[in-house]
């Protein structure tokens, strides 16, 4: 409950960086222990190195990639101008069906690379859509070996 209270009291402030947060955390903590990492892994490069650093510090990263359904399968028809909600100063991007197809390919590549990295390094991993029920998300974590089911 302390974690949920802390998260509930946190206000967004600027652009986030999972990589920076993981490195800062790993710099202050030494294992053994478990580090549950919940992210979409879209923010920037270096996430794999940050996960390696957590492991180097004796922590076992358990990776939960949470992705919005519209990020997995954008419903875009025709030409659309997109604005970056995390960086409003950024120049809008004009998107057409070819860019959407390229995006889907890149998204699938990101997910495959993250899953392969975790498998290769013995880190439990799962990807869950943000729209699923909490119980289904927990089941996905059990199936991935992140949580144990009490029988």
């Amino acid at each position: 409950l302390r974690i949920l209270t802390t998260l509930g009291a946190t206000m967004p402030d600027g652009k986030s960086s999972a990589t920076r947060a993981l490195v800062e955390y790993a710099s202050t903590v030494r294992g053994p222990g478990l580090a549950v990492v919940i992210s979409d892994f879209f923010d920037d490069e270096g996430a794999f190195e940050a996960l390696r650093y957590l492991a180097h510090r004796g922590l076992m990263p358990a990776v939960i990639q949470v992705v919005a359904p519209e990020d997995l399968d954008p419903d875009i028809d025709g030409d659309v101008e997109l604005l970056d909600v995390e960086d409003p100063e950024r120049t809008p991007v004009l998107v057409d069906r070819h860019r959407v197809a390229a995006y889907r390919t890149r998204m699938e590549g990101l997910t495959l690379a993250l899953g392969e990295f975790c498998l290769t390094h013995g880190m439990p991993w799962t990807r869950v859509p943000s729209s699923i029920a909490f119980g289904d998300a927990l089941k996905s974590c059990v199936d991935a070996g992140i949580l144990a089911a009490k029988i």
Side-chain angles (χ1 to χ4, degrees):
L1 286 177
R2 227 173 52 205
I3 292 172
L4 294 176
T5 301
T6 301
L7 289 174
T10 303
M11 296 302 292
D13 183 26
K15 191 171 180 177
S16 65
S17 171
T19 299
R20 185 181 66 242
L22 294 175
V23 169
E24 287 175 8
Y25 178 73
S27 297
T28 62
V29 176
R30 181 171 276 292
L34 177 68
V36 179
V37 181
I38 303 170
S39 175
D40 58 15
F41 289 90
F42 295 164
D43 66 335
D44 56 0
E45 303 211 9
F48 293 175
E49 289 77 18
L51 292 171
R52 272 194 208 98
Y53 188 46
L54 286 169
H56 172 74
R57 298 285 294 177
L59 300 166
M60 169 53 70
V63 178
I64 304 170
Q65 182 185 21
V66 179
V67 184
E70 57 271 15
D71 287 333
L72 292 173
D73 188 23
D75 185 22
I76 297 176
D77 252 348
D79 295 349
V80 176
E81 185 177 81
L82 299 179
L83 304 174
D84 187 341
V85 296
E86 291 182 14
D87 186 3
E89 300 299 318
R90 205 164 182 187
T91 304
V93 176
L94 184 62
V95 177
D96 59 16
R97 65 183 175 86
H98 298 291
R99 282 202 167 176
V100 171
Y103 167 83
R104 285 186 177 125
T105 300
R106 187 171 178 208
M107 173 62 105
E108 188 61 31
L110 168 72
T111 299
L112 289 173
L114 180 60
E116 181 65 29
F117 174 85
C118 291
L119 178 65
T120 301
H121 291 85
M123 299 172 186
W125 166 82
T126 189
R127 181 181 80 179
V128 295
S130 62
S131 60
I132 68 170
F134 185 68
D136 293 335
L138 289 178
K139 182 181 179 332
S140 181
C141 290
V142 169
D143 293 345
I146 294 170
L147 298 173
K150 186 174 181 180
I151 298 176

